[in-house]
Amino acid sequence: MRSPAAPEAAGGWWEVLMSGVGLDPGTARTVVHDGDGGFVFDEPSVLLTTGHGRRALPVLIGLEAEALTGRLPTGREVQRPFRHGVVADLDAARTYLRAVVRRAVPRPWARTRATAVIGTPVGATRLEQRALLEVADEVGIGQVYALVSPVAAGLGCGIDPLDRRAHLVVDIGAGTAEIAAFCFGDVLAHRSHRSGGDVMTGALLGHLRGHHRLSVPAATAEALKCAATGEDGARDGGRDLSVQGRDTASGRPRTLTLPVGEVLEVLAPVTASVVGGLVGCLDDLPVQVLDDVLTDGLLLVGGGSLSAGIARSLETAFGVPVKHAENPTTCVAEGAARATLRPEVLAAYAQH
């Protein structure tokens, strides 16, 4: 990786060029970190366009687009260009990522000379990784690398991926839950389960409609999940929550009072399924590294890691202590930005 020559004057967008850009285009949120200046974009991964295909033009992205979800006429809808952490629609992803990059790095000369590292699921196929790299390359970024998200997350939390000790990272996002063990430049074992926070939200939507005849938007179910699975909800399963929606029988607005315990009971099978899909990673690990895992435990990252019961279930299933990241929703982007300064890490783990 060749770093651009630094100018005499420091600061401004030259800092972006010197440190590089880390991107985490997740199913639910996209986070962009410039390495020195901090976060330059952290908003929902949604897009509203005019036109179709390559001629589509972005009208709104992020929070502004999300605010129109469910408020558009028939035939128009807010798009989600990424599913399960990979490109779901090439044209939409290209349009969306171009708009994000232009907002994060507005000057064209800065984009063309920048180095960007993008977090990708460890379970993504080479074709899926290549699609993301091609999309990023087409939006005008100088050099682009794809780095598996658990390694990027570990780097963002202070772990050295070239360390001679093995490290275990679990990343639970909206669309994917995955685990990877890595040591000294190699991924030793990994498992990926293509369900995460979105599946939990879907379970709540189905429960509200099936058991309470209440239809609510996905955003309302997401807010209900977060309210129930926060620290207070985890401690007080008898607390009640209010949710507003439309009665499926009468079509009229209705407010429902729902015990936290009932919400947690709906989410429990999804949590068990996610953990069950990851625990097999231990069977693939060399015996020699088990002491490292038992001593250091596993690092838990991702927005889904905040859900009640996940950490407890992982501790029970894996038999090792679970450490929560201080920055669970942003550590992938932070680690990706740090990787631009670590060519040896990119040489070991990244695809270019």
Side-chain angles (χ1 to χ4, degrees):
M1 181 182 67
R2 181 175 60 85
S3 299
E8 294 181 2
W13 287 105
W14 283 111
E15 292 183 357
V16 175
L17 298 183
M18 293 165 62
S19 61
V21 178
L23 295 96
D24 179 17
T27 300
R29 298 188 73 83
T30 296
V31 184
V32 184
H33 194 281
D34 74 5
D36 288 326
F39 298 102
V40 289
F41 189 85
D42 183 2
E43 297 188 24
S45 300
V46 291
L47 166 73
L48 179 64
T49 65
T50 58
H52 302 282
R54 285 183 172 271
R55 296 185 178 182
L57 297 175
V59 176
L60 298 172
I61 62 172
L63 290 169
E64 294 176 337
E66 186 184 54
L68 288 175
T69 301
R71 293 181 169 88
L72 295 171
T74 303
R76 293 197 72 190
E77 61 180 11
V78 173
Q79 297 173 272
R80 296 179 68 173
F82 303 102
R83 294 283 182 183
H84 306 301
V86 296
V87 173
D89 183 311
L90 275 173
D91 291 326
R94 186 183 297 111
T95 303
Y96 171 76
L97 206 56
R98 182 181 293 114
V100 169
V101 170
R102 286 181 176 178
R103 182 186 294 186
V105 188
R107 302 186 183 185
W109 56 265
R111 292 195 294 270
T112 57
R113 298 188 63 180
T115 295
V117 174
I118 303 180
T120 60
V122 69
T125 66
R126 292 189 68 84
L127 186 60
E128 289 171 333
Q129 282 192 334
R130 178 52 54 188
L132 187 56
L133 285 171
E134 288 178 359
V135 166
D137 190 55
E138 289 182 21
V139 304
I141 301 175
Q143 296 186 84
V144 186
Y145 296 84
L147 180 64
V148 291
S149 293
V151 173
L155 189 56
C157 294
I159 293 174
D160 185 357
L162 301 180
D163 189 4
R164 286 171 171 79
R165 292 183 63 82
H167 298 279
L168 200 60
V169 176
V170 174
D171 183 0
I172 301 178
T176 305
E178 52 188 12
I179 183 171
F182 52 89
C183 172
F184 199 54
D186 281 313
V187 174
L188 303 176
H190 68 85
R191 290 292 176 95
S192 187
H193 192 268
R194 293 209 167 184
S195 65
D198 279 358
V199 177
M200 297 179 186
T201 301
L204 279 178
L205 286 170
H207 178 77
L208 290 173
R209 176 177 285 273
H211 289 76
H212 297 283
R213 298 184 303 171
L214 190 71
S215 176
V216 302
T220 299
E222 177 72 19
L224 179 66
K225 179 188 72 176
C226 293
T229 59
E231 291 185 6
D232 291 339
R235 286 196 301 262
D236 184 10
R239 189 164 54 90
D240 290 336
L241 298 171
S242 294
V243 57
Q244 295 178 332
R246 182 174 61 191
D247 190 288
T248 58
S250 67
R252 296 180 178 179
R254 178 161 63 93
T255 298
L256 172 70
T257 300
L258 204 63
V260 168
E262 182 177 343
V263 176
L264 297 179
E265 186 176 342
V266 172
L267 297 179
V270 183
T271 299
S273 174
V274 169
V275 173
L278 302 179
V279 72
C281 180
L282 286 180
D283 297 332
D284 302 332
L285 284 177
V287 177
Q288 293 86 344
V289 306
L290 290 180
D291 283 345
D292 297 342
V293 174
L294 287 170
T295 301
D296 299 336
L298 62 85
L299 176 66
L300 181 58
V301 304
S305 69
L306 304 176
S307 298
I310 285 286
R312 198 160 46 247
S313 297
L314 286 169
E315 285 186 345
T316 301
F318 284 83
V320 299
V322 173
K323 298 179 292 185
H324 289 271
E326 294 183 4
N327 47 348
T329 60
T330 61
C331 57
V332 171
E334 292 179 70
R338 292 179 186 178
T340 63
L341 301 176
R342 298 285 305 276
E344 69 279 11
V345 171
L346 294 179
Y349 290 102
Q351 182 180 350
H352 183 43

